[in-house]
Amino acid sequence: MFCVVYAFMVQSGCDEQFRQSWLAVTRWLYEHAGSLGSRLHRASTGEYIAYAQWGSRAQWEQQADRSDAELRQHRRAMRAACTDIAVLYELDMTDDWLQQAVYRKSDPSTSA
């Protein structure tokens, strides 16, 4: 698995435009380019941080050349909402222990 971490500095008053455009780009890449999706976070500094997951570095690199009109439109809208976009890290996964649910120790008194 390959992950990319991005930082987005969004113009004042453009948060909603940015978030909707980011989501549209992310969905398009998931549905058409082999992305495994992305998560967007808001840092205490006000910038947005996202990490996107891909099956491989090659898949991520190939998406940059996509010329689909819908994707270009969403990317333009996302960039227009930002003062800066940076790739902070390109990461090859070595280990994975991210869980989807909080661990709950089972109660022995309820076991059959």
Side-chain angles (χ1 to χ4, degrees):
M1 180 156 337
F2 179 74
C3 297
V4 183
V5 180
Y6 299 93
F8 302 93
M9 292 302 299
V10 176
Q11 296 181 55
S12 179
C14 292
D15 290 84
E16 189 61 27
Q17 174 185 333
F18 166 73
R19 291 179 61 222
Q20 291 302 315
S21 300
W22 172 87
L23 181 58
V25 168
T26 299
R27 283 183 174 164
W28 195 97
L29 292 172
Y30 175 75
E31 293 171 359
H32 303 284
S35 166
L36 297 172
S38 183
R39 286 190 171 136
L40 183 64
H41 303 266
R42 183 85 187 256
S44 59
T45 59
E47 69 187 330
Y48 287 90
I49 304 294
Y51 58 92
Q53 293 182 311
W54 294 84
S56 68
R57 177 184 290 270
Q59 287 176 313
W60 175 68
E61 290 172 346
Q62 290 169 359
Q63 64 81 28
D65 296 330
R66 297 215 174 243
S67 61
D68 180 85
E70 180 184 358
L71 177 61
R72 283 195 320 266
Q73 176 186 349
H74 295 313
R75 282 182 165 161
R76 272 194 304 268
M78 186 175 72
R79 288 183 187 123
C82 295
T83 58
D84 189 40
I85 299 173
V87 174
L88 299 180
Y89 299 101
E90 298 174 18
L91 307 166
D92 292 304
M93 186 184 340
T94 61
D95 301 283
D96 185 3
W97 185 240
L98 187 63
Q99 303 300 308
Q100 295 296 315
V102 174
Y103 176 75
R104 303 271 187 228
K105 186 175 180 179
S106 60
D107 183 352
S109 66
T110 60
S111 299

